[in-house]
Amino acid sequence: MSILKLKPSCKDYIWGGSRLAEEYGKECDKEVIAETWELSCHPDGPSYIVNGPYVGKTLKQYIDIEGRDVLGVNCRRFRDFPILTKFIDAKDNLSIQVHPDNRYALKNEKQYGKTEMWYVMDAGEEAFLYYGFKREVSKEEFAKRIQEDTLLEVLHAVPVQKGDVLFIESGTIHAIGKDILIAEIQQNSNVTYRVYDYGRVGKDGKKRDLHIEKALAVTNRVPIVKGRNSYPHVADCDYFTVDKLNLDGNVMKKLEGNVSGASFASILMLDGEGTISNGNERLSFKKGDSFFLAAGSGTYTVEGSCDALITTIREKAAPVRIGIDIGGTTTKIGLVDIHQQLLACEEMDTDPDRTAEAVIEEIAQRVLGLLERQGILMDQCIGAGIGVPGTVDRKSGIVRYSNNMKWEDVKLAEKIGVYLPIPVRIANDADCAALGEAAAGAGKECQDVIMLTLGTGVGGGIILDGEIYEGKGIGGSELGHMVIVEDGEPCTCGRRGCLEAYVSASALIRDAKRALGKEMTPEEIFAGASGGNEVLKDIVDLYIRRLGIGIVNIVNIFRPQLVLIGGGISAQGENLLGPLREIVKKNCFGGEKGELPEIETAALGKNAGMIGAASLI
């Protein structure tokens, strides 16, 4: 059994009409049919099998029983069934909306984002849809226009007619206008952020929810210059390839196709009637029918007259990003997938006594070797992110100064781009570690995260709205160099009284040596304090108070959801965190009457920098 005829789930959204029932024979117990989900494994609306031994089962149940081989080799890169196919009858205007990309949706919605395409099956004489902005708008103007109900003034209204195709990439603001009938092929997602809805109310009599904050975070506010050229296909992207089949029943009344082991085929009949056959199977079709042909089905034949869309998944590995964490002694290289998981990684000695060119060349060669060993082609990589210690100009891709690396004005992005022909982004290593924790570690449920790394020095990263905050200049944040004691201990930066001069591991070791005359590790110092050594207890208490002062200052300024402690000293766990929480509770402005952040230890360890660097892409 290789041809499955499918019955859709139906949706009765308030803007829908009756054409799908009257003209396409869709059966539903609802008065309005806005959408029919023709090819779907989504739990919000599965499609059902109406022929053969699996009749009555959902498409997902069939796949679960038969195994994922029925989807084809090209679908191995997807965690879930990759696409969702719909018919849409817009009797009235749909809401103005936007869909997030995979990264944002997986983090915030626990499902994929949505890139989609529309094929206009029919449209009224004055029909149009909204597709992006007329001009670039700022985030502030976008938010203001939503609030003031003037958003439509800056949206691009596109007249449409039968046969038009639009490709809507994630992040594109859009809406289907009234009096339009559409076939939609999209990523398998049901995530939509509504920003304007004409003041309509739902079935409960209340205005439908808007999702303004999320929309502000994901919308591309730059006009779409031109449509996506997918020739010779109707549409083609990492998630689906769509081709058009047209048989006029006279000159062209028969077509043979082939479904290889690479991908299943979805055939959506837009118009006409006839038969579809594969081997000994032969089924009739009419307009509106939807068929699924399992991967490896072989030759199939369509006879009669029809317009149809045939959707397959082309060969393309899951998007892979390269994350590189450059350190003064060791550099870590990782391959990261869309789920923020490390696929593979390796380390190399950095040796800062070598020239920057030599280090960069070895890093690039190591990356190429890692890709080769993993069987990943370069064109399957969507970019490389690099974290490097020091002052970094992210916009120009230049390391302005790195004391650890002895680098000055090194064009890192440009130089590594000679070996890796993909987009390259760079940032400070502490910022990357913070971004990694926010993307996949202890802060993955938060948008606003501050991280302090307590090691030889004190590094810090600020993540606001899911992005690295670095201000308008270069260099990013230097949390370790806020002054907490006027004219205090000398700091490595040349000033006195910095947080780093009191709460780095080096500072803790220094204070213990002053008091006891011997070198001790931070672990030994904390252990001695817990064991009753009063001198060490006083040292640890003062250390925690100084760290608490720094955290209080940070919280009063940024009001994050979470403060993370990383670096070697974070291994002290609750011995460190418990007292810090009390200091923050007691000393933060507003105290417990405000929203105090959680204070936790970082979770990713040495992997944070690689994952964070990859997340720059």
Side-chain angles (χ1 to χ4, degrees):
M1 186 75 196
S2 56
I3 306 179
L4 302 181
K5 187 174 182 179
L6 302 177
K7 178 182 178 181
S9 288
C10 300
K11 303 294 180 180
D12 62 343
Y13 305 136
I14 60 174
W15 42 262
S18 58
R19 294 185 66 181
L20 292 175
E22 294 170 358
E23 300 176 30
Y24 289 82
K26 301 301 175 181
E27 298 177 357
C28 183
D29 58 1
K30 300 175 172 64
E31 293 183 7
V32 167
I33 305 180
E35 296 181 353
T36 55
W37 292 19
E38 299 291 337
L39 177 78
S40 172
C41 289
H42 200 286
D44 291 347
S47 49
Y48 296 85
I49 298 167
V50 298
N51 68 307
Y54 292 99
V55 64
K57 294 189 180 297
T58 65
L59 179 59
K60 184 179 185 305
Q61 287 172 328
Y62 159 78
I63 295 167
D64 289 343
I65 295 169
E66 289 290 328
R68 289 182 61 85
D69 285 348
V70 299
L71 302 184
V73 173
N74 294 347
C75 292
R76 290 178 182 174
R77 66 185 189 262
F78 298 105
R79 184 184 65 189
D80 303 318
F81 188 74
I83 62 171
L84 197 163
T85 296
K86 302 175 180 177
F87 285 131
I88 300 175
D89 175 17
K91 181 179 180 181
D92 199 358
N93 297 316
L94 274 69
S95 61
I96 308 298
Q97 58 192 246
V98 66
H99 307 303
D101 61 15
N102 286 337
R103 177 182 169 187
Y104 189 92
L106 286 167
K107 178 177 180 179
N108 294 278
E109 310 293 348
K110 303 299 184 290
Q111 59 177 302
Y112 288 108
K114 190 194 291 189
T115 287
E116 61 193 9
M117 66 139 287
W118 293 336
Y119 181 90
V120 179
M121 299 161 59
D122 197 14
E125 289 186 5
E126 298 181 0
F128 69 93
L129 48 80
Y130 289 112
Y131 183 56
F133 290 95
K134 294 179 182 177
R135 59 172 174 81
E136 183 174 356
V137 299
S138 67
K139 190 174 183 179
E140 292 73 20
E141 181 185 357
F142 187 22
K144 184 178 180 182
R145 285 187 175 277
I146 293 172
Q147 184 178 17
E148 296 178 351
D149 286 345
T150 61
L151 182 60
L152 299 183
E153 295 175 7
V154 292
L155 296 185
H156 184 206
V158 181
V160 292
Q161 59 186 356
K162 183 177 181 178
D164 284 346
V165 176
L166 281 92
F167 185 85
I168 300 95
E169 198 164 7
S170 60
T172 303
I173 195 165
H174 62 279
I176 302 172
K178 64 181 180 180
D179 199 15
I180 302 177
L181 196 64
I182 275 178
E184 177 178 285
I185 289 89
Q186 60 161 84
Q187 282 181 267
N188 182 17
S189 171
N190 197 26
V191 180
T192 295
Y193 298 149
R194 193 182 299 125
V195 296
Y196 178 75
D197 196 38
Y198 305 94
R200 292 181 294 204
V201 297
K203 295 177 181 178
D204 58 3
K206 299 178 181 178
K207 286 188 176 181
R208 298 202 296 169
D209 290 338
L210 301 181
H211 315 95
I212 296 173
E213 291 303 317
K214 290 181 176 180
L216 290 173
V218 305
T219 301
N220 176 12
R221 292 172 278 101
V222 178
I224 301 167
V225 177
K226 60 181 180 179
R228 186 186 182 100
N229 183 7
S230 298
Y231 181 85
H233 308 289
V234 173
D236 181 53
C237 66
D238 286 346
Y239 312 110
F240 48 78
T241 297
V242 182
D243 293 289
K244 177 77 180 300
L245 168 62
N246 175 256
L247 298 177
D248 63 10
N250 294 309
V251 177
M252 290 290 295
K253 55 185 178 182
K254 181 178 180 180
L255 177 134
E256 285 190 353
N258 182 66
V259 184
S260 71
S263 171
F264 68 87
S266 164
I267 302 179
L268 188 63
M269 300 297 181
L270 310 180
D271 203 354
E273 59 182 2
T275 61
I276 180 171
S277 58
N278 173 251
N280 294 324
E281 291 182 76
R282 188 178 183 90
L283 299 175
S284 62
F285 70 80
K286 63 181 185 304
K287 73 175 184 177
D289 283 347
S290 174
F291 298 94
F292 175 92
L293 279 71
S297 296
T299 300
Y300 67 89
T301 303
V302 180
E303 297 181 80
S305 63
C306 71
D307 284 329
L309 296 180
I310 303 174
T311 304
T312 55
I313 310 299
R314 61 170 162 78
E315 182 179 4
K316 177 76 171 177
V320 173
R321 294 161 293 146
I322 300 163
I324 302 168
D325 183 14
I326 300 177
T329 57
T330 302
T331 292
K332 295 177 281 293
I333 301 166
L335 306 179
V336 182
D337 69 12
I338 62 171
H339 306 294
Q340 306 290 10
Q341 298 297 310
L342 276 170
L343 300 173
C345 61
E346 68 169 76
E347 295 184 4
M348 58 171 265
D349 293 331
T350 304
D351 189 0
D353 290 328
R354 291 192 294 166
T355 65
E357 287 74 15
V359 173
I360 292 169
E361 181 178 4
E362 183 178 356
I363 290 172
Q365 295 302 331
R366 294 273 190 149
V367 169
L368 294 172
L370 186 60
L371 289 170
E372 183 175 359
R373 290 192 296 276
Q374 295 299 313
I376 298 173
L377 299 175
M378 179 58 68
D379 65 3
Q380 296 168 357
C381 297
I382 61 174
I386 308 174
V388 60
T391 302
V392 176
D393 183 346
R394 291 183 62 195
K395 293 181 177 66
S396 62
I398 297 174
V399 180
R400 293 298 181 187
Y401 179 72
S402 176
N403 181 59
N404 291 359
M405 301 294 302
K406 301 177 183 177
W407 286 5
E408 189 169 350
D409 291 328
V410 173
K411 297 180 179 179
L412 178 56
E414 178 181 316
K415 289 182 181 296
I416 208 161
V418 173
Y419 305 94
L420 308 177
I422 51 178
V424 177
R425 305 285 184 269
I426 71 172
N428 174 270
D429 60 343
D431 286 338
C432 286
L435 185 59
E437 288 289 342
K444 64 183 178 181
E445 302 299 329
C446 303
Q447 286 289 96
D448 301 323
V449 179
I450 306 290
M451 182 172 174
L452 287 173
T453 53
L454 309 176
T456 305
V458 173
I462 301 170
I463 309 299
L464 299 180
D465 292 330
E467 302 290 341
I468 294 173
Y469 173 78
E470 58 180 353
K472 297 298 184 183
I474 64 172
S477 59
E478 289 291 349
L479 299 179
H481 295 287
M482 71 173 77
V483 174
I484 62 168
V485 178
E486 184 180 4
D487 199 29
E489 292 284 349
C491 182
T492 57
C493 70
R495 302 186 304 156
R496 287 181 172 270
C498 293
L499 185 67
E500 181 174 296
Y502 290 95
V503 304
S504 63
S506 304
L508 182 60
I509 293 168
R510 175 202 66 208
D511 290 346
K513 186 173 183 179
R514 283 179 182 173
L516 298 177
K518 63 177 181 178
E519 193 95 1
M520 301 178 70
T521 66
E523 292 76 16
E524 290 170 338
I525 295 169
F526 271 87
S530 297
N533 185 310
E534 290 298 323
V535 174
L536 292 177
K537 186 176 185 303
D538 288 342
I539 290 171
V540 168
D541 286 347
L542 181 59
Y543 174 90
I544 292 175
R545 287 202 303 275
R546 300 295 198 200
L547 178 56
I549 289 171
I551 294 175
V552 166
N553 290 338
I554 291 168
V555 172
N556 282 341
I557 295 169
F558 293 104
R559 293 295 177 179
Q561 298 166 279
L562 176 68
V563 175
L564 290 176
I565 308 298
I569 290 179
S570 67
Q572 298 304 317
E574 286 302 314
N575 289 335
L576 182 66
L577 300 182
L580 287 175
R581 294 187 186 111
E582 290 302 316
I583 292 170
V584 169
K585 185 188 301 183
K586 181 179 178 181
N587 294 284
C588 275
F589 185 82
E592 292 184 87
K593 294 182 180 179
E595 285 192 18
L596 295 177
E598 298 291 331
I599 301 178
E600 301 291 349
T601 54
L604 297 179
K606 68 179 184 179
N607 294 338
M610 288 183 287
I611 294 174
S615 297
L616 296 172
I617 303 301

